[in-house]
Amino acid sequence: MKLTKKITCNNCTDPCDFQSALAKTGRSIDDANIFHAHFKKHDVICKQGKEVTHALFLTKGWAKLYLEGLNNRNIILYILKPPAYIGLLSFFETPIYAYSVTALEDSEVCFVELGLVKKLYIESHDLLLCLNKVFGKSVADIMNKIISINQKQIRGRIAENLIYLSNLHQSHKFHLCLTRKEIGEMAAISEENTVRLLSEFAKESIISVKGRDIEILDMPLLKKICDVG
Amino acid sequence: MKLTKKITCNNCTDPCDFQSALAKTGRSIDDANIFHAHFKKHDVICKQGKEVTHALFLTKGWAKLYLEGLNNRNIILYILKPPAYIGLLSFFETPIYAYSVTALEDSEVCFVELGLVKKLYIESHDLLLCLNKVFGKSVADIMNKIISINQKQIRGRIAENLIYLSNLHQSHKFHLCLTRKEIGEMAAISEENTVRLLSEFAKESIISVKGRDIEILDMPLLKKICDVG
DNA sequence: ATTAAACATTGTTGTAAATCAACTTTTTTT
DNA sequence: AAAAAAAGTTGATTTACAACAATGTTTAAT
């Protein structure tokens, strides 16, 4: 992490809900003491178990949000893509992070002091409702993940995550920002089986795989595999 | 579900945070149109996929909160014990329930219109902070559950849930309000293996089991089994 | 009191998926 | 350019657990 002065709220291309909240409550952005930082690929943005001191907002670069489980095994809950609230599930009165977030590529993050956030959502209902909305979506996604991980077989889980990645890229053809191991961590399966299934899907002409370039050739079939579990 | 006039906010023994919020915003409880209902054992209190119309507050009787998964397999996320917000994870701007709740015994539930809730937490920061706090705790619990279900073996999972139930009853000796199948659904394991493990633990003198009466005899060992996974 | 239904138990079997192991390819470092 | 580290691949082996089956026991209904 490296502080940067280049990016400020004033030249922000993706203004977050904090900005309008600041405006509405008659505060100046400069007084708000918001600072901006650059994270390099693989840098940890926030760490499970550590204290929550700021609300974090991702403005550039993708990141993975994951649980650090037993025996150094991670489960990736979802991929964050800007603009995104990073600490959302944790900054509502939770003292410590319930998960970790790591940059998948060079990223930019804004830091808003938690004290200010609290003041803001006491004074601005709109901000609160916005955040709660995103929050609710996250919870629903996690519930779905629990079922998926626990009740689908690895074939269905990999299919599900390929579809997820495709939606994220908004294209059937995309370049993976994840290693095979990380794809495995999304579906909570071993790296070996991830590789095996990707080749299997390729052999069946459901997808095409060239290194990290993936193309989904038969989306209906992939969806079917996902749905039957 | 059966409406009841016997229980009202005015004679409530466990006043919820809505009451103080109502008072603070100068509203009368009678105008608030809060109604109270009785649920019999096994009644569904709220149903996954159905619209969220009210905030629900459990004042009497225990209930289970669970996900309805594939092939009629449920996963119980936690047990609700009064006083408890039932719909907490869903009434923050989520239109539909992400889970179901069913009464484990005869229960009483208060219904507060969602419109009023929204007004209340716009006008009363305290209410909001209270709810968010409970909310954060729930999320942390769910994260832990994901790891547990996915990375622990069934022995560790059953141990974990026995400890959980013991804490809930605030005693090492308690009467199960759940069937073996439901104990299994808490740990996401089959009914058969649940039975097997309970007998196994009993044979090892870690617990004593007589029907639904459980006593934890060796809590340190049980904790160890839980921790090693 | 009798029957049905729900709940509990135990042994056996099949299999999905992790683990192990050995190896190749790609990327990064010096 | 060479060495080292990380990432990717494939087959063989092991195992944890669900599913099946058969049977006993308690609870609820008529």
Side-chain angles (χ1 to χ4, degrees), chain A residues 6-55:
Chain A
K6 273 181 249 170
I7 293 161
T8 68
C9 290
N10 297 309
N11 67 20
C12 186
T13 50
D14 266 321
C16 58
D17 298 307
F18 292 114
Q19 283 213 31
S20 48
L22 278 169
K24 261 181 209 153
T25 58
R27 289 165 207 273
S28 149
I29 282 174
D30 302 315
D31 297 342
N33 203 21
I34 294 172
F35 63 89
H36 306 264
H38 181 86
F39 288 86
K40 290 213 291 191
K41 191 174 173 172
H42 299 143
D43 278 355
V44 176
I45 298 174
C46 69
K47 174 81 178 167
Q48 187 170 323
K50 287 269 195 295
E51 201 191 345
V52 181
T53 56
H54 292 77

Side-chain angles (χ1 to χ4, degrees), chain A residues 138-199:
Chain A
S138 299
V139 170
D141 286 347
I142 290 170
M143 300 294 188
N144 183 56
K145 191 111 199 170
I146 295 176
I147 295 300
S148 171
I149 280 179
N150 201 253
Q151 303 187 345
K152 281 189 184 179
Q153 312 205 162
I154 53 174
R155 225 175 126 83
R157 307 217 293 265
I158 284 292
E160 181 168 336
N161 282 287
L162 285 172
I163 295 167
Y164 171 77
L165 288 170
S166 163
N167 287 335
L168 220 59
H169 285 91
Q170 300 184 72
S171 162
H172 283 200
K173 208 171 173 175
F174 53 90
H175 182 84
L176 283 176
C177 48
L178 302 161
T179 65
R180 307 291 150 127
K181 192 181 170 200
E182 286 170 324
I183 302 276
E185 286 174 346
M186 290 187 73
I189 69 180
S190 70
E191 183 181 5
E192 291 94 325
N193 279 329
T194 307
V195 171
R196 239 182 291 266
L197 281 171
L198 287 180
S199 331

Side-chain angles (χ1 to χ4, degrees), chain A residues 67 69-70 73 75 77 89 92 94 122 125 128 132-133 135-136 142-143 146-147 149-152 188, chain B residues 67 69-70 73 75 77 89 92-94 122 125 128 132 135-136 142-143 146-147 149-152 188:
Chain A
L67 302 180
L70 280 21
R73 286 177 58 199
I75 299 178
L77 293 184
L89 290 175
F92 279 101
T94 315
I122 279 171
H125 339 128
L128 190 75
N132 277 343
K133 208 160 200 162
F135 202 112
I142 290 170
M143 300 294 188
I146 295 176
I147 295 300
I149 280 179
N150 201 253
Q151 303 187 345
K152 281 189 184 179
Chain B
L67 303 179
L70 280 22
R73 285 177 59 199
I75 299 178
L77 293 184
L89 290 174
F92 280 99
E93 286 298 294
T94 317
I122 280 171
H125 339 130
L128 190 75
N132 278 343
F135 202 112
I142 291 171
M143 301 295 188
I146 295 176
I147 296 300
I149 280 179
N150 202 253
Q151 301 186 345
K152 281 188 184 178

